[in-house]
């Protein structure tokens, strides 16, 4: 409870988390103080109304149902569990649905509606399969094991006992572990009762009781219900008393005293009364009737101090008191005890009748609701069938209308098709006339096309003849240009030879004249080489020189053209220098000058540009 209150103090909790935590706190508070749990459950409901989600409502209603059940208000508990089922189904959350069906199973079990209880538990198991809600599954298996044990179905009891322990180990919760061990202990006790010769079953029973006891002691600060220690200790004392020889009496009394002390600390008055009852039995065995009577009177005082006295326990105490007084020979006191017994029995019988009437009334209301639901379902099924009949009739009418419409449509379509056929015949006649006219036009077009083709062929012949004449005229012009250039070159060479001869006659010793003579000789050789190269190159690339000059706007000299020719031939600077008898540096300067004349950028490659022209 302290842990849950600390959790509620956390501001970051979502509304649904706060509702769920308040519900847990309400349920645990209601274990010992049912009416104190009710305001807490109402707080959860107020938050659910603000949240307005189906999950929130389902969680709040199931908490209210458990608190009302702790208060023995089964009618209110049933109403709230029905509301919880409604909202859980609407939410579609299987875990929440499983939890609500589990709580409904507990309510059915409390009302002794065993079949309904088992049915609810089985629905809860089916919904929670595959989930990690081992605490809820463990609770379901715990109740299923108890139900089958009471019915004598030991195989099913053992099955669910083992499932209960397995779920408890997975959940790791102390209360679940104690319940799981106790359920296994009960399973072996049931089987030992059936076959008391198998002492191994009794040993297993005490082993699991011991595990439940040690677990409860080790984790007592984490138990939701610390009274479980008293219950386990009392169970161990009962086993020692019922199945062990008298030599184990000290062990039984040891566990009775532990149960008595723990029950007093946790306010479990029924357990306290049971402990005094067992101590009284042992006092009777010792023949100490006075001490036995004292124990029973203490037990009676504890039972009477309860808000609602436990009727069967009180009757059992009064009967034992009467027996002890009778054995002791005190007939007067025995008579008083028996009179009290009869008075308590009458009150208990009346209360039982009233409780039975309430249970019957609650069961009647439940069955009435179930019958009403069944009638509603049958009415819904009948309405569904009636709707099906209406749908079939409507479909039949629609089909009849469709048939009539289709028949009219077919007649109309036949009439339209007949008209279309007549129209098509007219169109066919017209089409034949159009085809005949088209053929006539086609013959005329073919004739005109043949005439046009002949005319185009004549024009093509005339164009080819004109181009041939133009090429011939250009060839004659180039030949004349070449002849003029050759004559000019011969005249220049003759002039240079005459100058060289004169220089030779004037004075061969004059170095300047010799230098002039060498220049003339070199120029003559260059002209001869270039003329030869020009003739050869002009035959291969007739447009190369023309394109170069166009690019340079006529600014290239014969030496520049010669350099360009050598570059096109793929010669390197060194090879060009060898041929021309000049240094590579001079050639680089010449290449730079040519690039400027051609208008090329610094990054453009001269060799690549020249090759593109060829």
């Amino acid at each position: 409870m302290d842990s849950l209150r600390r959790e509620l103090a956390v501001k970051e909790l979502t509304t649904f988390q706060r509702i769920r935590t308040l519900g847990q706190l309400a349920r645990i508070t209601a274990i010992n103080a049912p009416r104190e749990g009710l305001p807490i459950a109402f707080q959860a409901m107020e938050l659910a109304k603000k949240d307005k989600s189906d999950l929130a409502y389902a969680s709040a209603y199931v908490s209210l149902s458990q608190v009302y059940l702790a208060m023995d208000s089964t009618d209110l508990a049933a109403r709230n569990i029905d509301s919880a089922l409604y909202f859980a189904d609407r939410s579609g959350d299987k875990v929440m649905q499983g939890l609500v069906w589990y709580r409904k199973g507990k309510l059915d079990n409390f009302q002794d509606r065993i079949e309904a209880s088992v049915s609810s538990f089985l629905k809860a198991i089916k919904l929670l399969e595959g989930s990690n809600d081992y605490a809820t599954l463990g609770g379901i298996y715990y109740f299923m094991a108890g139900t089958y044990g009471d019915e004598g179905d030991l195989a099913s009891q053992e099955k669910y006992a083992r499932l209960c322990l397995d779920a408890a180990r997975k959940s790791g919760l102390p209360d679940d572990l104690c319940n799981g061990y106790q359920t296994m202990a009960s399973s072996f006790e049931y089987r030992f009762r059936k076959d008391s010769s198998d002492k191994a079953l009794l040993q297993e029973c005490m082993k699991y009781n011991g595990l439940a006891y040690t677990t409860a002691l080790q984790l007592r600060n984490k138990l939701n219900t610390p009274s479980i220690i008293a219950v386990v200790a009392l169970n161990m004392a009962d086993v020692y008393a019922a199945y062990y020889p008298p030599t184990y009496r000290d062990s039984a009394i040891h566990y009775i005293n532990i149960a008595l002390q723990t029950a007093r600390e946790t306010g479990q008055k029924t357990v306290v009364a049971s402990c005094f009852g067992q101590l009284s039995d042992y006092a009777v065995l010792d023949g100490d009737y006075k001490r036995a009577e004292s124990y029973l009177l203490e037990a009676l005082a504890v039972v009477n101090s309860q808000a609602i006295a436990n009727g069967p326990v009180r009757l059992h105490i009064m009967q034992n008191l009467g027996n002890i007084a009778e054995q002791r020979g005190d007939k007067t006191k025995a008579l008083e005890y028996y009179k009290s017994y009869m008075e308590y029995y009458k009150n208990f019988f009346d209360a039982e009748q009233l409780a039975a009437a309430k249970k019957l009334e609650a069961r009647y209301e439940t069955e009435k609701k179930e019958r009403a639901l069944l009638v509603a379902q049958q009415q819904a099924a009948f309405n569904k069938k009636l709707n099906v009949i209406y749908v079939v009739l409507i479909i039949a009418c629609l089909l009849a209308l469709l048939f009539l419409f289709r028949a009219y449509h077919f007649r109309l379509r036949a009439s339209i098709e007949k008209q279309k056929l007549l129209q098509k015949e007219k169109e066919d006649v017209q089409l034949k006339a159009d085809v005949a006219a088209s053929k006539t036009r086609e013959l005329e077009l073919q004739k005109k096309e043949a005439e046009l083709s002949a005319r185009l062929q004549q024009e093509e012949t005339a164009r080819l003849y004109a181009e041939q004449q133009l090429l011939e005229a250009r060839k004659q012009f180039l030949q004349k240009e070449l002849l003029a250039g050759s004559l000019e070159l011969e005249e220049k060479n003759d002039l240079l030879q005459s100058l060289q001869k004169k220089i030779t006659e004037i004075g061969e010793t004059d170095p300047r004249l010799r230098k002039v003579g060498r220049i003339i000789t070199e120029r003559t050789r260059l002209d001869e080489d270039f003329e030869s190269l020009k003739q050869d190159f002009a035959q291969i690339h007739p447009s190369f020189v023309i394109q170069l000059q166009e690019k340079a706007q006529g600014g290239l000299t014969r030496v520049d053209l010669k350099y360009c020719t050598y570059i096109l031939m793929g010669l390197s600077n060194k090879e060009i220098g060898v041929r021309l008898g000049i240094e590579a540096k001079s050639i680089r300067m010449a290449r730079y000058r040519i690039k400027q004349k051609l208008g090329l950028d610094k990054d453009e490659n001269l060799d690549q540009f020249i090759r593109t022209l060829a």
Side-chain angles (χ1 to χ4, degrees):
M1 290 166 67
D2 292 339
S3 299
L4 290 170
R5 289 192 180 99
R6 281 196 296 272
E7 187 175 347
L8 287 169
V10 177
K11 294 181 180 179
E12 290 76 13
L13 278 182
T14 64
T15 304
F16 179 71
Q17 288 172 334
R18 197 169 294 278
I19 292 167
R20 187 177 58 186
T21 307
L22 281 169
Q24 289 175 328
L25 182 60
R27 291 196 299 271
I28 293 170
T29 303
I31 291 172
N32 294 319
R35 296 194 177 278
E36 292 179 16
L38 196 58
I40 303 172
F42 283 144
Q43 288 181 41
M45 180 57 70
E46 290 301 317
L47 286 176
K49 289 177 181 177
K50 292 179 181 178
D51 188 74
K52 296 182 180 179
S53 70
D54 293 331
L55 273 177
Y57 275 122
S59 181
Y61 276 118
V62 81
S63 300
L64 267 174
S65 171
Q66 288 180 271
V67 174
Y68 281 127
L69 183 60
M71 294 168 61
D72 289 332
S73 299
T74 53
D75 186 47
L76 291 173
R79 291 180 189 177
N80 281 278
I81 209 70
D82 287 342
S83 298
L85 279 172
Y86 170 75
F87 285 107
D89 288 341
R90 273 205 351 178
S91 73
D93 189 292
K94 288 190 175 182
V95 174
M96 180 57 73
Q97 291 171 1
L99 175 64
V100 177
W101 277 107
Y102 164 53
R103 300 301 180 190
K104 186 178 186 308
K106 287 182 69 175
L107 177 61
D108 293 333
N109 186 274
F110 181 81
Q111 294 175 312
D112 295 328
R113 300 176 67 230
I114 304 303
E115 290 184 6
S117 172
V118 171
S119 175
S120 297
F121 286 142
L122 290 174
K123 286 179 182 178
I125 291 170
K126 186 175 181 181
L127 287 163
L128 292 172
E129 281 180 350
S131 73
N132 295 327
D133 192 358
Y134 298 113
T136 303
L137 284 168
I140 297 169
Y141 297 143
Y142 178 82
F143 277 97
M144 292 287 283
T147 300
Y148 282 117
D150 293 339
E151 296 293 324
D153 187 348
L154 299 187
S156 297
Q157 194 279 338
E158 182 185 1
K159 168 190 168 183
Y160 284 105
R162 293 190 182 280
L163 287 171
C164 176
L165 180 57
D166 183 59
R169 284 170 172 164
K170 289 178 179 177
S171 77
L173 297 174
D175 295 77
D176 293 352
L177 284 169
C178 292
N179 287 334
Y181 289 135
Q182 273 194 291
T183 307
M184 284 300 299
S186 298
S187 177
F188 284 107
E189 186 179 353
Y190 281 127
R191 290 156 65 190
F192 180 71
R193 285 179 192 171
K194 190 174 182 180
D195 182 11
S196 58
S197 63
D198 190 351
K199 300 299 181 183
L201 295 174
L202 185 60
Q203 290 175 1
E204 288 294 312
C205 170
M206 291 304 291
K207 178 183 114 176
Y208 281 105
N209 270 322
L211 285 170
Y213 180 70
T214 54
T215 301
L217 287 180
Q218 290 171 358
L219 303 174
R220 66 186 307 160
N221 293 331
K222 297 182 179 180
L223 289 169
N224 287 334
T225 51
S227 59
I228 200 168
I229 299 173
V231 174
V232 174
L234 189 60
N235 285 345
M236 293 183 75
D238 286 340
V239 172
Y240 277 121
Y243 308 116
Y244 281 82
T247 53
Y248 286 87
R249 174 177 174 173
D250 291 342
S251 298
I253 293 175
H254 169 73
Y255 284 109
I256 289 171
N257 289 329
I258 292 172
L260 181 60
Q261 180 184 350
T262 309
R264 280 173 168 169
E265 291 172 355
T266 56
Q268 297 297 307
K269 294 183 178 182
T270 302
V271 177
V272 171
S274 297
C275 291
F276 282 131
Q278 286 202 5
L279 289 172
S280 174
D281 290 340
Y282 280 115
V284 169
L285 289 175
D286 293 339
D288 192 346
Y289 296 112
K290 187 176 182 179
R291 187 159 56 92
E293 184 181 20
S294 173
Y295 282 137
L296 288 176
L297 289 173
E298 285 191 66
L300 182 62
V302 170
V303 171
N304 287 334
S305 68
Q306 290 179 304
I308 300 175
N310 190 317
V313 174
R314 187 162 61 177
L315 287 173
H316 185 67
I317 292 170
M318 293 308 302
Q319 187 177 22
N320 285 344
L321 282 169
N323 290 337
I324 291 170
E326 192 174 352
Q327 290 176 13
R328 199 174 55 185
D330 192 344
K331 304 293 184 181
T332 305
K333 210 164 195 179
L335 183 59
E336 289 178 4
Y337 286 139
Y338 284 136
K339 284 182 178 179
S340 298
Y341 172 80
M342 293 304 296
E343 184 180 350
Y344 286 148
Y345 182 80
K346 182 178 181 300
N347 293 335
F348 174 70
F349 181 73
D350 291 342
E352 279 290 296
Q353 280 189 321
L354 181 61
K358 286 183 178 180
K359 284 186 178 180
L360 286 172
E361 184 180 357
R363 186 178 298 179
Y364 171 74
E365 288 296 327
T366 304
E367 290 176 354
K368 184 178 177 182
K369 288 179 184 177
E370 290 176 352
R371 283 197 299 272
L373 180 62
L374 182 62
V375 170
Q377 289 174 345
Q378 290 174 346
Q379 184 65 36
F382 176 74
N383 290 339
K384 189 176 180 181
K385 290 179 180 178
L386 195 61
N387 291 337
V388 170
I389 293 171
Y390 287 151
V391 169
V392 170
L393 288 173
I394 291 169
I395 291 172
C397 292
L398 289 174
L399 288 174
L401 289 172
L402 181 63
F403 176 75
L404 294 172
F405 173 76
R406 293 291 291 176
Y408 170 75
H409 175 72
F410 283 136
R411 286 197 296 272
L412 181 62
R413 188 173 177 181
S415 175
I416 293 171
E417 289 294 329
K418 187 176 181 180
Q419 291 180 0
K420 285 182 178 180
L421 186 61
L422 293 172
Q423 183 66 28
K424 189 176 180 182
E425 289 177 353
K426 292 179 181 179
E427 290 175 355
D428 286 342
V429 173
Q430 183 64 38
L431 183 60
K432 288 178 181 178
D434 292 342
V435 167
S438 177
K439 285 183 178 179
T440 304
R441 286 196 299 272
E442 185 178 353
L443 290 174
E444 291 177 355
L445 287 173
Q446 287 178 355
K447 183 178 179 182
K448 289 180 179 179
E449 187 178 351
E451 293 175 354
L452 180 60
S453 178
R455 191 162 55 250
L456 288 174
Q457 189 172 3
Q458 291 175 0
E459 291 177 357
E460 181 68 18
T461 304
R463 186 183 63 78
L464 291 174
Y465 178 75
E467 287 181 358
Q468 187 177 3
Q469 292 295 322
L470 182 61
L471 288 173
E472 185 65 28
R474 185 175 179 183
K475 180 179 178 183
Q476 290 176 2
F477 172 75
L478 290 174
Q479 287 176 348
K480 289 177 182 179
E481 284 290 316
L482 183 60
L483 180 59
S486 300
L487 292 173
E488 183 182 352
L489 182 59
E490 287 176 6
E491 290 176 358
K492 186 180 72 171
N493 287 337
D494 290 341
L495 178 60
L496 289 174
Q497 287 175 6
S498 300
L499 285 173
Q500 191 173 18
K501 187 175 181 182
K502 291 293 183 183
I503 289 168
T504 303
E505 291 175 358
I506 293 171
E508 295 181 353
T509 57
D510 191 342
R512 287 176 296 178
L513 293 176
R514 284 201 304 276
K515 186 175 181 181
V516 172
R518 284 198 302 273
I519 291 170
I520 293 170
T521 302
E522 184 178 345
R523 181 56 59 189
T524 303
R525 184 169 60 80
L526 282 173
D527 288 341
E528 290 173 355
D529 291 343
F530 179 70
E531 190 61 29
S532 174
L533 179 65
K534 182 179 177 182
Q535 290 177 3
D536 295 337
F537 192 75
Q539 293 177 0
I540 302 170
H541 300 289
S543 62
F544 175 69
V545 176
I546 297 170
Q547 290 178 355
L548 273 176
Q549 288 291 13
E550 286 178 355
K551 182 69 175 175
Q553 298 180 355
L556 296 176
T557 64
R558 288 181 299 170
V559 176
D560 294 336
L561 291 172
K562 193 167 187 178
Y563 282 145
C564 293
T565 304
Y566 282 132
I567 290 170
L568 183 61
M569 292 170 66
L571 300 181
S572 64
N573 290 346
K574 184 176 180 181
E575 291 170 337
I576 295 171
V578 171
R579 289 201 176 196
L580 301 179
I582 57 178
E583 296 180 356
K585 181 178 179 181
S586 300
I587 295 171
R588 285 196 294 272
M589 291 299 294
R591 289 170 68 92
Y592 178 73
R593 187 174 62 253
I594 292 168
K595 282 181 71 174
Q596 287 184 327
K597 290 180 180 181
L598 291 172
L600 300 177
D601 293 337
K602 181 173 66 173
D603 296 333
E604 289 188 81
N605 189 290
L606 179 62
D607 295 10
Q608 187 177 357
F609 174 74
I610 289 172
R611 290 192 187 97
T612 58
L613 294 178

